[in-house]
Amino acid sequence: CMTAEELSDAQAGYRSYGFDDVASLLSRARSIFEAADDLGSLEQRLDGEYAHFVPSDSFLDERFQMRLKSNPSDFAPPRAKDVG
């Protein structure tokens, strides 16, 4: 359901946090979908692979927090309206 640009952005985002395997998984899922293969029958396997690479949302958050601490200049400072 993503456009090519959205998929590319998602892959770049995963790669920037060191999740190259997830970026590749997204490409494989897209290829399966575009080949008109039965993505539904493979969905459970693809979901399982994703869960192997990203076991929980907190795992993603931990990776984000580590990157924020080690490279704070990669992120824009919070805006006053967003902080309280």
Side-chain angles (χ1 to χ4, degrees), residues 4-82:
E5 183 177 357
E6 290 168 335
L7 178 62
S8 178
D9 289 346
Q11 290 171 308
Y14 278 110
R15 284 191 180 101
S16 73
Y17 286 94
F19 293 111
D20 295 336
D21 292 332
V22 175
S24 295
L25 179 64
L26 291 175
S27 290
R28 283 190 295 135
R30 181 64 168 228
S31 295
I32 291 166
F33 177 77
E34 289 175 348
D37 287 343
D38 185 11
L39 185 59
S41 68
L42 298 173
E43 182 177 5
Q44 186 174 7
R45 190 182 89 200
L46 295 170
D47 285 348
E49 287 183 50
Y50 179 84
H52 174 75
F53 301 131
V54 181
S56 67
D57 288 345
S58 62
F59 186 79
L60 287 174
D61 184 58
E62 289 170 14
R63 186 70 62 98
F64 168 76
Q65 295 299 329
M66 288 182 349
R67 172 99 185 265
L68 178 61
K69 287 179 185 175
S70 65
N71 299 295
S73 63
D74 288 351
F75 301 90
R79 299 175 296 183
K81 71 177 190 168
D82 296 331

